[in-house]
């Protein structure tokens, strides 16, 4: 029987970068995100006795060896407690560009965890699902939930406390976001490789880990008080700290292109003129603009005319991952 699940991408307002245990995929720092309604992955899974291996179809095409192996390994983790040994066909579609720093792994593994849970009759709690999703991709743990979500770094060596927790649901403070796509190319260095290189080579890494605790506290406080300026300030601080950190790796990791830099300057210019907007950027060249409820339409008009931008996506806050 085919089971289909849907999950939304999420964008971190306080970033995760670095692993305390690469094997269990445990984050070195906590993170806080908002889930985006408009960016969706829909994943169908079908276990069949006659299959001799898992098959992954991503956006209508057979996935490459590396991606297929990553998904198979993830499914093994869920097959084991279910006592199931059959293989599956997995069909996954994103309604946004894949692998270009747009958190497709977040919505991808969250949707897969939810679909596999139902197909394998595991009946896991959302917290347990987030623990599984984390093993697929760190940011996926957050996409299990909607609204504002905090991912805990956890302390336990087995990672059982490295899970996401919903802070406030999607209706609490309907912030909006624009995603300015500056390039549709796949990023050259994935986040796992980038994080590991950073942890091994950057002299700034210990300071990054230590200072994240305060960022998380301040972000929680800003969201609780619905203080947009404070939220934007901390989001930019965390984002630029993460990119400064990545640039201090050896060899340097530079995820931006020229347009990324121009857009950062443009948002700063608009803000000086009184527009409430802040940027955040993940492991890629796309610029995400965070704005208060009702502000994204005029910014959409503004950026749609900005030279060089490939595409502008607009989203408000969305809900958690679910069976369709
Ligand atoms: O979950 P991963 O391995 O795709 O890493 C996500 C890293 C960032 O997107 C840059 C930051 C974050 O917290 O989402």
């Amino acid at each position: 029987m085919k089971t289909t699940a849907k999950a939304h991408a999420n964008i971190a307002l306080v970033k995760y970068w670095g692993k305390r245990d690469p094997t269990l995929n445990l984050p070195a720092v906590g993170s806080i995100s908002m889930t985006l309604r408009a960016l969706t992955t829909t994943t169908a899974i079908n276990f069949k006795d006659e299959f001799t291996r898992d098959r992954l179809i991503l956006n209508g095409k057979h996935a490459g060896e590396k991606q297929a192996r990553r998904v198979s390994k993830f499914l093994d983790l869920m097959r084991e407690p279910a006592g199931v040994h059959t293989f599956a066909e997995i069909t996954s579609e994103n309604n946004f560009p894949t692998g270009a720093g747009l958190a497709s792994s977040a919505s991808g593994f969250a949707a897969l965890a939810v679909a596999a849970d139902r197909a394998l009759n595991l009946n896991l709690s959302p917290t347990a699902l987030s623990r599984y999703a984390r093993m697929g991709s760190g940011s996926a743990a957050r996409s299990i939930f909607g609204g504002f979500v905090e991912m805990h770094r956890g302390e336990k060596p087995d990672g059982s406390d490295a899970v996401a927790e919903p802070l406030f649901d999607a209706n609490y403070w309907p912030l909006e976001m624009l995603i300015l796509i500056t390039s549709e190319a796949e990023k050259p260095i994935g986040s796992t490789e980038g994080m590991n290189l950073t942890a091994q080579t950057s002299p700034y890494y210990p300071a990054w880990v230590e200072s994240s605790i305060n960022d998380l506290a301040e972000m929680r406080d800003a969201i609780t008080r619905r203080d947009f300026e404070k939220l934007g300030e901390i989001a930019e601080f965390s984002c630029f700290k993460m990119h400064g950190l990545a640039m201090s790796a050896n060899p340097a990791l530079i995820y931006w292109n020229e347009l990324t830099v121009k857009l950062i300057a443009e948002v700063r210019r608009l803000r000086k003129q009184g527009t409430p907007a802040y940027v955040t950027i993940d492991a890629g060249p796309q610029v995400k603009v965070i704005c208060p409820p009702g502000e994204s339409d005029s910014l959409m008009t503004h950026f749609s005319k900005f030279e060089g931008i490939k595409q502008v996506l607009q989203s408000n806050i969305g809900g958690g991952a679910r069976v369709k």
Side-chain angles (χ1 to χ4, degrees), residues 182-212:
T182 65
S183 161
E184 280 157 352
E186 296 240 346
K187 60 189 169 201
I189 297 175
S191 50
T192 296
E193 203 187 322
M195 285 179 198
N196 294 340
L197 177 74
T198 308
Q200 284 155 14
T201 61
S202 169
Y204 302 159
Y205 187 69
W208 159 259
V209 173
E210 202 188 301
S211 64
S212 68

Side-chain angles (χ1 to χ4, degrees), residues 12 15-17 19 31 105 137-139 142 191-192 195 242 282-283:
K15 304 287 184 198
Y16 144 59
W17 195 255
K19 299 178 195 284
S31 51
S105 65
S137 156
S139 54
R142 301 187 306 240
S191 50
T192 296
M195 285 179 198
M242 182 197 109
D282 293 293

Side-chain angles (χ1 to χ4, degrees), residues 246-319:
M247 286 179 203
S248 72
N250 189 9
L253 288 165
I254 304 172
Y255 285 105
W256 301 350
N257 58 33
E258 287 165 40
L259 190 51
T260 313
V261 179
K262 275 191 191 151
L263 290 168
I264 294 168
E266 180 63 5
V267 171
R268 291 190 146 194
R269 192 186 69 79
L270 291 171
R271 200 157 70 226
K272 260 203 175 136
Q273 293 178 349
T275 306
Y278 291 84
V279 298
T280 188
I281 306 163
D282 293 293
Q286 330 303 0
V287 176
K288 288 110 185 181
V289 183
I290 314 159
C291 53
E295 291 285 339
S296 65
D297 282 347
S298 59
L299 284 166
M300 175 92 181
T301 310
H302 179 79
F303 284 109
S304 299
K305 290 183 282 201
F306 202 91
E307 202 187 328
I309 292 186
K310 300 268 182 292
Q311 204 184 332
V312 183
L313 309 177
Q314 184 179 20
S315 186
N316 51 8
I317 302 201

Side-chain angles (χ1 to χ4, degrees), residues 176-254:
E176 297 174 3
M177 189 172 271
L178 287 185
I179 297 169
L180 312 178
I181 311 238
T182 65
S183 161
E184 280 157 352
E186 296 240 346
K187 60 189 169 201
I189 297 175
S191 50
T192 296
E193 203 187 322
M195 285 179 198
N196 294 340
L197 177 74
T198 308
Q200 284 155 14
T201 61
S202 169
Y204 302 159
Y205 187 69
W208 159 259
V209 173
E210 202 188 301
S211 64
S212 68
I213 296 164
N214 196 49
D215 299 343
L216 291 164
E218 295 217 41
M219 183 57 79
R220 254 181 251 122
D221 182 56
I223 299 172
T224 306
R225 290 188 294 104
R226 293 189 181 89
D227 181 340
F228 182 73
E229 231 170 78
K230 179 82 185 218
L231 175 142
E233 222 172 83
I234 303 298
E236 287 201 350
F237 182 47
S238 174
C239 159
F240 291 123
K241 222 174 359 162
M242 182 197 109
H243 284 277
L245 176 75
M247 286 179 203
S248 72
N250 189 9
L253 288 165
I254 304 172

Side-chain angles (χ1 to χ4, degrees), residues 23-299:
T23 313
L24 291 174
N25 206 26
L26 303 180
V29 294
S31 51
I32 295 179
S33 60
M34 58 188 264
T35 302
L36 296 185
R37 188 196 306 272
L39 274 64
T40 307
T41 299
T42 306
T43 298
I45 190 162
N46 199 358
F47 287 93
K48 273 198 180 159
D49 287 337
E50 64 259 34
F51 291 159
T52 52
R53 60 185 182 85
D54 294 320
R55 287 187 240 180
L56 174 63
I57 297 161
L58 213 53
N59 298 317
K61 289 191 212 128
H62 282 280
E65 194 54 36
K66 204 171 152 199
Q67 270 167 328
R69 225 178 311 124
R70 188 171 169 196
V71 163
S72 265
K73 252 180 81 183
F74 177 79
L75 274 186
D76 286 345
L77 298 170
M78 298 191 78
R79 274 188 279 242
E80 201 201 274
V84 168
H85 302 286
T86 42
F87 294 103
E89 181 175 80
I90 306 109
T91 317
S92 192
E93 302 273 345
N94 294 327
N95 72 345
F96 57 95
T98 302
L102 274 191
S104 55
S105 65
S107 48
F109 280 103
L112 183 59
V114 169
D117 172 63
R118 176 64 67 89
L120 295 166
N121 284 317
L122 283 168
N123 294 316
L124 296 169
S125 67
T127 303
L129 282 171
S130 113
R131 195 175 297 123
Y132 274 100
R134 183 206 78 226
M135 293 189 255
S137 156
S139 54
R142 301 187 306 240
S143 271
I144 294 295
F145 301 104
F148 294 93
V149 181
E150 176 161 3
M151 173 71 196
H152 298 286
R153 164 195 195 279
E155 299 299 329
K156 294 185 183 163
D158 69 357
S160 52
D161 54 353
V163 290
E165 178 195 4
L167 294 176
F168 293 100
D169 72 18
N171 302 317
Y172 168 76
W173 190 18
L175 294 187
E176 297 174 3
M177 189 172 271
L178 287 185
I179 297 169
L180 312 178
I181 311 238
T182 65
S183 161
E184 280 157 352
E186 296 240 346
K187 60 189 169 201
I189 297 175
S191 50
T192 296
E193 203 187 322
M195 285 179 198
N196 294 340
L197 177 74
T198 308
Q200 284 155 14
T201 61
S202 169
Y204 302 159
Y205 187 69
W208 159 259
V209 173
E210 202 188 301
S211 64
S212 68
I213 296 164
N214 196 49
D215 299 343
L216 291 164
E218 295 217 41
M219 183 57 79
R220 254 181 251 122
D221 182 56
I223 299 172
T224 306
R225 290 188 294 104
R226 293 189 181 89
D227 181 340
F228 182 73
E229 231 170 78
K230 179 82 185 218
L231 175 142
E233 222 172 83
I234 303 298
E236 287 201 350
F237 182 47
S238 174
C239 159
F240 291 123
K241 222 174 359 162
M242 182 197 109
H243 284 277
L245 176 75
M247 286 179 203
S248 72
N250 189 9
L253 288 165
I254 304 172
Y255 285 105
W256 301 350
N257 58 33
E258 287 165 40
L259 190 51
T260 313
V261 179
K262 275 191 191 151
L263 290 168
I264 294 168
E266 180 63 5
V267 171
R268 291 190 146 194
R269 192 186 69 79
L270 291 171
R271 200 157 70 226
K272 260 203 175 136
Q273 293 178 349
T275 306
Y278 291 84
V279 298
T280 188
I281 306 163
D282 293 293
Q286 330 303 0
V287 176
K288 288 110 185 181
V289 183
I290 314 159
C291 53
E295 291 285 339
S296 65
D297 282 347
S298 59
L299 284 166

